[in-house]
Amino acid sequence: MSPAVDATEVRRRTHELLAAHPPATTGRTDFLKARFDAGLAWVHYPEGLGGLDAPRSLQQVVDAELAAADAPDNDPRRIGIGLGMAAPTILGFGTDEQKRRFLRPLWVGEEVWCQLFSEPGAGSDLAALATRAVQGDDGDWTVDGQKVWTSSAHVARWAILIARTDPDLPKHRGISYFICDMTDPGVDVRPLRQITGEAEFNEVFLSGVRIPDSHRLGPVGEGWKVAQTTLMNERVSIGGSRIPREGGMIGPVSTTWRERPGLRTHDTHQRLLTLWVEAEVARLTGERLRQQLVAGQPGPEGSGMKLAFARLNQEISGLEVELLGDEGLLYGDWTMVRPELVDFTGRDAGYRYLRSKGNSIEGGTSEVLLNIVAERVLGLPAEPRNDKDVAWKDLSR
Ligand SMILES: Cc1cc2nc3c(=O)[nH]c(=O)nc-3n(C[C@H](O)[C@H](O)[C@H](O)COP(=O)(O)OP(=O)(O)OC[C@H]3O[C@@H](n4cnc5c(N)ncnc54)[C@H](O)[C@@H]3O)c2cc1C
């Protein structure tokens, strides 16, 4: 970490960027590229890769200065998988060339990423995955298999992909991690319609997809270790994003409560207050978690945060629907749309209620996260596992 970079220096560099590229007269993408090149994209990343090797906490200084100058941001919700999952994995395990090639267009938002992990027979038990990657004589890989629940695959340019490279090894040891080109002719993306009526995620069929060996992340056979970095970061990015006081899910129901006194009862008052306090505790815990992240990779604490987030989102949106009575049962539009991002802003209570159901499944189910907290945070005995030393090909499926 660079000791020379403090808040004053970061502020100076931000003003320099704004002077050289005034947001009012600079195109959005040009501004974002200049910001990346100035090391002000994610200040805790290395110099030359969008950062300054500075403490992560200094990012707030940059963001506040840029917001005050009305500068465009990179729309983090649209590129959440790239920012929250692909980027830390590439940073942790990528070669210099991979970091140089992928991080800038990822951060700027020119290239959207998706995550090809889950399969019909491998969700919670992700290490059981069956998608095969076979290396040819030229060193490159051919991938065949099926992935499922792939958010944003329909808009993605690249995917982080895990596949089985050695079926003779126990399931955790025969997996490798790749960067997959979503424009390869062997990639077939098909929509999956959700309870909301929308299709934000997909089935993805991979048939003879070619991946150059230069797009492998980490050593052959160590994909499970690499994937842990992705998964830990995923839980933090789902459960711990920065929100202002009374922001996030508790915001709309609090507004409804204030604006529509006729809907109130003693019971809903009591429940709203309890949830408001819990939402605030979760928000402050998330803030603390982010400060801990300054030190490096997230630990299992992120799983606890994501667990709390899923439960709260479901309870809060349930209360909002109940509070609104008949009106809460109305649902705007059932036409299947293919959203580019999951955005709760401006959506009705019915959408928030239905979409929140997925919160306890995506990024690891709540039951599985409870296991992680039990074993890795509380140190309770691990679940019995009888498949650790058996070759994957000999496991019953
Ligand atoms: C909105 C949404 C977006 C998603 N986006 C992506 C994506 O972009 N990319 C991707 O790869 N995946 C994605 N997923 C998939 C998600 O990661 C999986 O759905 C999840 O890991 C659960 O796997 P599964 O659906 O196969 O359920 P299963 O693993 O079959 O689980 C079924 C039930 O059994 C329980 N269970 C399983 N094992 C245990 C255990 N050991 N102890 C206790 N209970 C257990 C589970 O909690 C669950 O209730 C997404 C899912 C959703 C809902």
Side-chain angles (χ1 to χ4, degrees):
M1 201 172 286
S2 166
V5 180
D6 58 10
T8 311
E9 175 61 10
V10 160
R11 203 168 279 119
R12 187 191 68 73
R13 289 183 191 226
T14 310
H15 291 163
E16 207 172 84
L17 168 75
L18 288 166
H21 307 275
T25 52
T26 311
R28 180 174 179 274
T29 307
D30 288 342
F31 182 85
L32 292 172
K33 285 179 178 169
R35 176 175 165 185
F36 187 94
D37 295 339
L40 299 169
W42 32 30
V43 296
H44 60 294
Y45 269 52
E47 284 189 53
L49 295 175
L52 296 170
D53 272 316
R56 195 179 184 131
S57 54
L58 291 180
Q59 190 64 47
Q60 306 175 38
V61 179
V62 178
D63 293 349
E65 293 287 335
L66 292 178
D70 226 3
D73 70 12
N74 61 347
D75 199 354
R77 292 163 315 159
R78 186 178 150 258
I79 52 173
I81 294 174
L83 288 176
M85 295 152 70
T89 313
I90 293 170
L91 185 68
F93 294 91
T95 60
D96 287 347
E97 200 185 326
Q98 289 169 339
K99 291 176 199 170
R100 267 196 308 277
R101 162 64 187 88
F102 292 112
L103 290 177
R104 189 172 187 254
L106 179 159
W107 187 87
V108 168
E110 288 178 310
E111 292 179 344
V112 173
W113 287 68
C114 67
Q115 178 200 21
L116 291 172
F117 278 25
S118 304
E119 298 183 4
S124 302
D125 187 12
L126 185 58
L129 61 88
T131 291
R132 283 282 279 127
V134 177
Q135 194 165 29
D137 294 339
D138 57 358
D140 292 348
W141 299 82
T142 303
V143 180
D144 288 279
Q146 186 198 340
K147 297 289 178 176
V148 73
W149 319 126
T150 318
S151 310
S152 304
H154 52 294
V155 288
R157 171 70 180 81
W158 299 102
I160 40 177
L161 162 77
I162 45 178
R164 186 152 309 279
T165 43
D166 191 343
D168 293 324
L169 288 175
K171 61 181 184 179
H172 294 93
R173 301 219 301 266
I175 294 171
S176 302
Y177 198 121
F178 300 95
I179 293 170
C180 173
D181 183 348
M182 292 297 286
T183 65
D184 185 286
V187 177
D188 181 12
V189 177
R190 302 183 196 166
L192 274 177
R193 200 170 185 197
Q194 292 152 251
I195 193 173
T196 56
E198 302 187 344
E200 86 200 34
F201 56 22
N202 307 272
E203 298 180 287
V204 178
F205 294 84
L206 306 164
S207 315
V209 174
R210 302 281 297 166
I211 300 186
D213 195 45
S214 59
H215 284 184
R216 175 169 43 79
L217 265 182
V220 174
E222 292 200 19
W224 186 249
K225 185 174 156 208
V226 183
Q228 290 313 303
T229 297
T230 312
L231 295 174
M232 289 300 178
N233 276 286
E234 176 175 20
R235 282 152 202 167
V236 172
S237 67
I238 293 179
S241 53
R242 170 165 287 134
I243 42 174
R245 186 174 161 137
E246 214 178 277
M249 263 293 164
I250 199 72
V253 69
S254 303
T255 307
T256 305
W257 179 264
R258 288 199 185 96
E259 290 176 353
R260 314 265 302 266
L263 297 173
R264 299 175 189 174
T265 65
H266 285 300
D267 173 57
T268 48
H269 188 199
Q270 179 65 31
R271 284 159 58 203
L272 177 66
L273 281 179
T274 306
L275 289 170
W276 197 97
V277 170
E278 288 189 53
E280 185 64 4
V281 170
R283 186 181 75 80
L284 294 171
T285 310
E287 202 53 53
R288 187 158 156 244
L289 190 70
R290 254 186 310 282
Q291 285 165 15
Q292 287 173 350
L293 277 182
V294 173
Q297 289 299 333
E301 301 82 8
S303 300
M305 188 65 219
K306 197 258 163 181
L307 196 56
F309 162 83
R311 180 183 63 78
L312 271 173
N313 254 4
Q314 291 174 354
E315 287 188 21
I316 291 169
S317 57
L319 177 64
E320 194 183 357
V321 166
E322 202 182 318
L323 192 63
L324 287 167
D326 292 350
E327 209 183 303
L329 298 178
L330 296 174
Y331 193 74
D333 186 358
W334 205 258
T335 320
M336 186 177 96
V337 287
R338 302 277 276 145
E340 220 186 305
L341 57 103
V342 185
D343 189 2
F344 286 78
T345 327
R347 304 300 301 262
D348 55 34
Y351 172 83
R352 281 195 289 278
Y353 176 72
L354 293 175
R355 181 58 184 79
S356 72
K357 297 294 171 200
N359 291 157
S360 50
I361 306 172
E362 60 195 317
T365 68
S366 290
E367 290 77 15
V368 165
L369 297 186
L370 279 172
N371 283 344
I372 293 177
V373 172
E375 291 176 24
R376 296 203 228 153
V377 180
L378 303 176
L380 297 177
E383 273 196 281
R385 285 175 192 130
N386 56 9
D387 55 2
K388 272 174 109 172
D389 301 314
V390 183
W392 173 82
K393 66 175 172 33
D394 297 329
L395 293 174
S396 53
R397 273 188 296 283

